[in-house]
Amino acid sequence: MATVDPAAFHEVPGERDKLGVTVSPASVKLITPGVDKFSIYPLLGPPHFAESVRRKWNYVLFFPVVPGSMERVRCRMEIRFTRPRGHYNVTVSEVVWQEKSCADRVAAAS
């Protein structure tokens, strides 16, 4: 279950200029707690805000309003990571959305 926390997202210089990545909500739905950090690269690419060493990655995502449509919805998502004690791999601990409508779109995806 994803979290919605608008306060977690701060205005970043140049944020509105970020091209982001257009993805299907079903692809993003695969990012859940326990998923290996580097499994995210094939889905979304590197983080959009130069946070590659930190324990959280932020993305600007665009979801098609209707599959195949050129009209898109802009969403901000943060992926938080943890490295469980005794484990080598860093994994997803939480997915946080800026807006509930984006979280709902992903939750409803099949």
Side-chain angles (χ1 to χ4, degrees):
M1 182 80 164
T3 304
V4 177
D5 183 6
F9 297 86
H10 306 288
E11 189 69 30
V12 177
E15 173 191 338
R16 288 286 161 194
D17 299 330
K18 291 285 182 186
L19 295 177
V21 63
T22 300
V23 294
S24 73
S27 294
V28 177
K29 192 173 185 174
L30 299 173
I31 302 171
T32 59
V35 169
D36 182 79
K37 184 178 191 175
F38 295 104
S39 297
I40 295 167
Y41 269 76
L43 296 172
L44 304 178
H48 297 152
F49 294 97
E51 300 164 321
S52 60
V53 191
R54 298 182 56 186
R55 296 268 173 144
K56 60 184 176 178
W57 288 354
N58 279 273
Y59 288 91
V60 174
L61 303 177
F62 291 97
F63 297 133
V65 172
V66 177
S69 166
M70 293 302 291
E71 189 177 354
R72 305 177 304 165
V73 174
R74 183 181 190 276
C75 297
R76 285 278 310 272
M77 177 182 74
E78 180 175 278
I79 303 171
R80 298 178 182 170
F81 300 98
T82 188
R83 189 176 84 192
R85 182 178 221 105
H87 289 80
Y88 176 76
N89 290 346
V90 175
T91 59
V92 173
S93 63
E94 184 177 18
V95 175
V96 181
W97 292 95
Q98 185 175 26
E99 297 178 7
K100 184 175 182 335
S101 61
C102 295
D104 291 345
R105 185 176 295 268
V106 170
S110 54

